[in-house]
């Protein structure tokens, strides 16, 4: 069974701080790694889809790296803003099961002004 | 606008009643999914469907039922057999991109059973 873990479970930072959190997944049979941003009362929004070892993706102040050999991905937020407050989810698809995603439990980020 | 709609946003039911949550998509996606989220936990898969008239149990299917009679629709029934039905329910659909499946989510339904 594919097991995806995220840490920390929650994070409280001040506006302007940079932060990062981790997603770990089984390195064998790696297929892809998805990051989502989920604000309260909204739908989860896709941030990145990562497929290659060493991949690095960036969207504004948010970036992510991928290490498929050791089974982890980091999400970085540079200069956190209050609007970055959300739950960040990572997920890995289960191969040959029609896109079924296995989600981590999420990291809840709170940025105080 | 293409997307996924879920209705209603909030739903209240008394214990012992079955309740059906609606999910509709106009993205022409083949696969659809139902997830449940509880405080402090990630999204857990209830049921998924890869094509019309076919669906599979996810990790926590007990007490739930689904149907997939149309490509656009994937309703979820929370039956009285579900022991802890109060939760936030998310519907999603996905499309294969060649390297992976990209999932798109609806806005969710918060179900409260008392």
């Amino acid at each position: 069974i594919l097991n995806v873990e995220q840490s920390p479970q929650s994070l409280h930072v001040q506006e302007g701080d940079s932060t990062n959190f981790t997603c770990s997944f089984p390195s064998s049979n790696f297929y892809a790694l998805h990051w989502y941003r989920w604000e309260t009362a909204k739908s989860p929004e896709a941030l990145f889809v990562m497929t290659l070892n060493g991949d690095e993706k960036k969207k504004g102040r948010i970036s992510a790296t991928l290490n498929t050999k050791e089974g982890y991905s980091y999400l970085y937020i540079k200069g956190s803003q209050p609007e970055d407050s959300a739950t960040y989810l990572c997920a890995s698809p289960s191969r040959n099961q029609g896109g079924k995603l296995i989600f981590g439990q999420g990291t809840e980020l709170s940025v105080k002004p | 606008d293409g997307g996924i709609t879920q209705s209603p946003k909030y739903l209240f039911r008394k214990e012992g009643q079955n309740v059906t949550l609606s999910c509709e998509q106009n993205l022409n996606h083949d696969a659809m999914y139902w997830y449940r989220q509880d405080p402090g936990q990630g999204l857990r898969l209830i049921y998924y469907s890869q094509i019309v008239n076919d669906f599979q149990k996810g990790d926590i299917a007990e007490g739930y039922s689904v149907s997939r009679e149309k490509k656009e629709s994937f309703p979820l029934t929370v039956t009285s057999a579900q022991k802890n039905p109060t939760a936030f329910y998310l519907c999603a659909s996905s499309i294969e991109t060649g390297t992976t499946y990209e999932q798109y989510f609806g806005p969710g339904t918060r179900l409260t059973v008392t």
Side-chain angles (χ1 to χ4, degrees), chain A residues 4-36:
Chain A
V4 179
E5 302 280 345
Q6 289 186 250
S7 62
Q9 190 171 344
S10 64
L11 201 50
H12 301 268
V13 301
Q14 290 293 134
E15 182 176 355
D17 288 350
S18 292
T19 187
N20 66 85
F21 21 94
T22 307
C23 174
S24 61
F25 50 86
S27 54
S28 59
N29 264 341
F30 175 78
Y31 183 21
L33 195 284
H34 298 239
W35 279 102
Y36 288 86

Side-chain angles (χ1 to χ4, degrees), chain A residues 67-84:
Chain A
N67 184 322
T68 60
K69 293 181 180 177
E70 296 184 33
Y72 64 84
S73 175
Y74 291 140
L75 189 80
Y76 299 91
I77 303 179
K78 185 177 177 182
S80 303
Q81 300 296 309
E83 57 265 30
D84 295 328

Side-chain angles (χ1 to χ4, degrees), chain A residues 9 31-34 36 38 41-46 49 51 87 89 93 96-106, chain B residues 9 31 33 35 37 40-43 45 48 50 57-59 88 90 94 96 99-108:
Chain A
Q9 190 171 344
Y31 183 21
L33 195 284
H34 298 239
Y36 288 86
W38 191 10
K42 295 186 178 179
S43 308
E45 171 198 354
V49 178
T51 55
T87 296
L89 295 167
N96 300 324
Q97 290 193 43
K100 173 183 166 183
L101 283 177
I102 309 298
F103 282 87
Q105 66 271 53
Chain B
K9 193 170 182 178
Y33 312 81
Y35 295 93
Q37 196 226 8
Q41 296 198 41
L43 296 175
L45 184 65
Y48 66 106
Q50 294 178 250
K57 292 181 179 180
D59 302 317
F88 186 73
L90 268 179
S94 74
E96 186 178 6
T99 51
T100 185
Y101 290 82
E102 293 194 15
Q103 285 200 10
Y104 297 81
F105 290 87

